[in-house]
Amino acid sequence: MEEEKIIVCFGDSNTHGYDNKTGGRFDKNTRWPMVLQKLLGEEYLVREEGLSGRTTVFNDPLHESLSGVEVIRPILLTHEPVSLLIIMLGTNDVKERFAATPENISRGLDRLIKKAQDAEEAFLGAKPNILVIAPYPIDDEYRETAIGNDMGEGCAEKSRKLPALYKTIAEQNHCHFLSATDIPGMENYPYDYMHLSPKAHRALAEALAERMKEYLS
């Protein structure tokens, strides 16, 4: 029997499945990693590693344990052998309190990727296989919502610059790359203009399922 292919989904609230209507979490039939699991079938094991507020490398002065680079190694070793690591981060990095430019954020992604690649044993000696997803940019209207003051100024503008920068970083590190802006349906934001709707979760999962053979080849 062929060994199951393990896919680790490493992200923030949009991987955890934050439901901005309730403040809770979408159910397993809605969250994109679990939708992806159903689409791929029993030959795959999709592991959810999403945490609300997570950044690439920045330590949040208001909340603990949100820097992705500090936890990526143990997470990968927990799920070994990993066939594919999916990284979708950057939305929280644009918060005003981090005072990070888009270029700073892309350098944070670069550091995170290299940290993951250093955990080579999690991939059982194979070349680390990583997919970088540039998150869908924040809409300008976020500023007038309940999360506007927490996020601060300039978030939407910075987030729009990330896909092009992320693509360059992914290519330099020999990673797969996908921009959420290229997936039909991902623009479907509800209420706060930052978190994915159920339709957007489904759109992302379907796009990944269609490309999975390419990512694992």
Side-chain angles (χ1 to χ4, degrees):
M1 182 176 178
E2 187 177 351
E3 189 172 331
E4 296 161 317
K5 298 176 179 64
I6 297 175
I7 301 170
V8 177
C9 304
F10 187 70
D12 51 30
S13 55
N14 278 325
T15 297
H16 186 73
Y18 177 73
D19 180 355
N20 56 17
K21 284 186 178 180
T22 66
R25 190 183 187 192
F26 288 128
D27 62 36
K28 65 180 181 180
N29 296 314
T30 304
R31 302 191 301 268
W32 71 262
M34 292 295 89
V35 177
L36 178 62
Q37 174 72 79
K38 288 186 177 181
L39 293 172
L40 292 177
E42 295 180 356
E43 294 180 6
Y44 299 82
L45 285 177
V46 180
R47 300 306 195 190
E48 296 180 291
E49 286 290 351
L51 176 64
S52 293
R54 177 175 282 152
T55 66
T56 56
V57 299
F58 300 106
N59 288 304
D60 194 317
L62 302 180
H63 307 283
E64 295 180 3
S65 305
L66 295 182
S67 171
V69 75
E70 295 181 355
V71 297
I72 188 62
R73 180 181 174 83
I75 283 176
L76 285 172
L77 293 176
T78 296
H79 296 297
E80 66 174 325
V82 177
S83 297
L84 178 68
L85 167 65
I86 301 176
I87 298 173
M88 187 171 72
L89 287 170
T91 300
N92 292 297
D93 301 52
V94 304
K95 289 176 179 175
E96 185 178 9
R97 62 177 173 267
F98 295 131
T101 67
E103 289 75 15
N104 296 154
I105 296 168
S106 68
R107 289 179 64 189
L109 173 67
D110 181 66
R111 184 179 168 209
L112 175 62
I113 290 171
K114 286 180 168 59
K115 187 74 170 182
Q117 290 173 333
D118 284 344
E120 191 170 359
E121 63 269 42
F123 300 88
L124 288 190
K127 181 181 178 181
N129 191 22
I130 300 173
L131 166 64
V132 173
I133 301 178
Y136 202 90
I138 300 170
D139 191 282
D140 288 315
E141 294 184 59
Y142 86 93
R143 200 64 189 86
E144 304 304 318
T145 69
I147 62 170
N149 287 334
D150 184 60
M151 294 295 293
E153 300 291 344
C155 299
E157 181 182 0
K158 285 193 285 188
S159 72
R160 287 192 290 268
K161 295 179 180 179
L162 293 183
L165 293 167
Y166 273 26
K167 182 178 181 180
T168 298
I169 294 296
E171 290 174 348
Q172 289 174 349
N173 287 283
H174 307 289
C175 298
H176 306 286
F177 175 76
L178 177 64
S179 176
T181 56
D182 294 331
I183 302 173
M186 285 293 290
E187 70 278 6
N188 204 330
Y189 278 87
Y191 305 114
D192 64 6
Y193 305 99
M194 192 175 89
H195 291 101
L196 301 182
S197 70
K199 289 183 179 179
H201 275 269
R202 165 65 63 171
L204 177 56
E206 289 177 348
L208 290 172
E210 290 174 1
R211 296 167 169 81
M212 193 52 62
K213 288 186 178 179
E214 171 192 342
Y215 297 146
L216 294 178
S217 63

